[in-house]
Amino acid sequence: MSDKAVITCALNGVLTDPKQHHVPVTPEQMAREAKAAFDAGASVMHIHLRQQAPNQGHLPSWEVGVSREIQAAIRTACPGVIINHTTGTPGPNYQGALACVRETRPEMAACNAGSLNYLKVKADNSWAWPPMMFDNSVEKVQDYLDVMKQAGTIPEFECFDVGIVRCVGMYRQTGMYSGPLEYNFVMGVASGMPADPDLLPILLKLKLPEARWQVTAIGRAEIWPLHQRCADLGGHLRTGLEDTFYLGDGTKVTSNGQLIEAIAACARRAGREIASPAEARQIFGVRH
């Protein structure tokens, strides 16, 4: 078990609409939310980029300039913070995501480690959105890994299903990647792994022994037993407005800070201390 728990805050996500929810969009908003999370114990900020034009904040952006402005604002507000940059985008045009990593050199970045049919069904048995494939072929993964190596950026391998966890070991075995290993078990997506605490021991058997790991739990109040199990088993912790709007008692939050306070309490109940930004850098082997 890792005694120190590193907490990541997923500040905004790609699907959440700022007209409906309290998700930050502008550099100023991102910095304000990051500061609230930082003060509550988060050392890592996972960021998504949104279009900055009026009434366009619900749309994603891959502008390098937007990435630079948001990162600079967060770093000013949160000294020593680690930036974890999104890269996930379906389809063959992911050059913008590669450029953001190449040009801004974040300490960490998501590396989606396999493909998933991204599905959800509504109560009336119709699709919640048109069925889509979140495609992450081996060639695409290699492109991300190559750019991250050039940038000195540590990949966080996003694993949406059990088979994807096993793929990460194959990337190591074939020489696609040889640096520090960080798994992110994404649990709660309707067509991926369920947010079931009993699944965690199986995932820990499947990951490479030396690798660090954390859980991203997607859902409402029902995800909090999974966060506690993660803390109990020695994993690092993540939450934020990308992943949920609800505390364990069903209260709907309005800020990332409230969620980070709750997940820090999970770590403390497990008898673990919260890692500082400097300690998080050492734990993850941050290169710059």
Side-chain angles (χ1 to χ4, degrees), residues 12-19 23-30 47-67 69-70 85-86 89 93 100:
N12 57 350
V14 68
L15 297 174
T16 42
D17 189 341
K19 294 180 180 178
V23 293
V25 170
T26 67
E28 294 77 15
Q29 293 167 349
M30 293 287 281
I47 64 169
H48 286 252
L49 311 177
R50 305 296 190 87
Q51 293 190 20
Q52 300 296 301
N55 299 315
Q56 298 298 304
H58 61 294
L59 299 173
S61 171
W62 292 108
E63 292 184 38
V64 171
V66 172
S67 179
E69 289 181 24
I70 286 174
H85 205 294
T86 185
T89 181
N93 183 14
C100 282

Side-chain angles (χ1 to χ4, degrees), residues 237-252:
L237 301 168
R238 166 179 148 158
T239 190
L241 293 176
E242 176 176 6
D243 303 339
T244 189
F245 300 112
Y246 295 92
L247 299 174
D249 63 1
T251 301
K252 189 172 184 179

Side-chain angles (χ1 to χ4, degrees), residues 99-123:
C100 282
V101 174
R102 183 187 300 112
E103 299 300 325
T104 72
R105 301 178 67 240
E107 291 92 341
M108 302 178 73
C111 183
N112 295 282
S115 300
L116 180 77
N117 282 317
Y118 199 71
L119 311 174
K120 187 175 181 179
V121 175
K122 296 189 294 187

Side-chain angles (χ1 to χ4, degrees), residues 111 141-150 155 157 176-177:
C111 183
V141 171
Q142 185 69 74
D143 286 343
Y144 281 122
L145 290 174
D146 289 346
V147 166
M148 291 179 198
K149 183 177 181 179
Q150 294 168 16
F157 288 99
M176 286 177 61
Y177 178 71

Side-chain angles (χ1 to χ4, degrees), residues 49-255:
L49 311 177
R50 305 296 190 87
Q51 293 190 20
Q52 300 296 301
N55 299 315
Q56 298 298 304
H58 61 294
L59 299 173
S61 171
W62 292 108
E63 292 184 38
V64 171
V66 172
S67 179
R68 284 201 178 105
E69 289 181 24
I70 286 174
Q71 291 191 52
I74 291 173
R75 292 186 195 281
T76 298
C78 308
V81 75
I82 295 169
I83 298 293
N84 180 323
H85 205 294
T86 185
T87 62
T89 181
N93 183 14
Y94 49 96
Q95 294 305 309
L98 295 177
C100 282
V101 174
R102 183 187 300 112
E103 299 300 325
T104 72
R105 301 178 67 240
E107 291 92 341
M108 302 178 73
C111 183
N112 295 282
S115 300
L116 180 77
N117 282 317
Y118 199 71
L119 311 174
K120 187 175 181 179
V121 175
K122 296 189 294 187
D124 64 2
N125 296 323
S126 64
W127 294 116
W129 53 73
M132 62 169 287
M133 166 65 77
F134 184 26
D135 58 308
N136 294 288
S137 66
V138 171
E139 293 79 12
K140 193 172 183 179
V141 171
Q142 185 69 74
D143 286 343
Y144 281 122
L145 290 174
D146 289 346
V147 166
M148 291 179 198
K149 183 177 181 179
Q150 294 168 16
T153 296
I154 295 172
E156 178 185 85
F157 288 99
E158 314 295 325
C159 300
F160 297 87
D161 219 336
V162 174
I164 299 177
V165 176
R166 301 176 75 189
C167 288
V168 175
M170 298 182 198
Y171 301 153
R172 171 78 93 194
Q173 188 176 359
T174 58
M176 286 177 61
Y177 178 71
S178 60
L181 273 177
E182 167 73 15
Y183 289 77
N184 182 22
F185 303 137
V186 183
M187 306 172 73
V189 174
S191 53
M193 293 188 287
D196 184 345
D198 291 339
L199 185 55
L200 272 183
I202 297 171
L203 299 176
L204 296 184
K205 285 183 182 179
L206 296 176
K207 79 173 186 66
L208 292 180
E210 73 275 16
R212 293 167 298 278
W213 63 281
Q214 70 174 20
V215 167
T216 290
I218 310 293
R220 297 195 174 199
E222 76 279 359
I223 65 176
W224 287 94
L226 174 58
H227 284 311
Q228 188 61 58
R229 189 72 181 278
C230 176
D232 293 342
L233 292 175
H236 299 296
L237 301 168
R238 166 179 148 158
T239 190
L241 293 176
E242 176 176 6
D243 303 339
T244 189
F245 300 112
Y246 295 92
L247 299 174
D249 63 1
T251 301
K252 189 172 184 179
V253 303
T254 58
S255 171

Side-chain angles (χ1 to χ4, degrees), residues 9 11 29-42 45 77-78 255-261:
C9 182
L11 288 167
Q29 293 167 349
M30 293 287 281
R32 183 172 63 246
E33 280 294 302
K35 182 65 161 60
F38 188 77
D39 289 346
M45 302 298 162
C78 308
S255 171
N256 283 287
Q258 296 164 275
L259 293 169
I260 298 303
E261 288 174 1

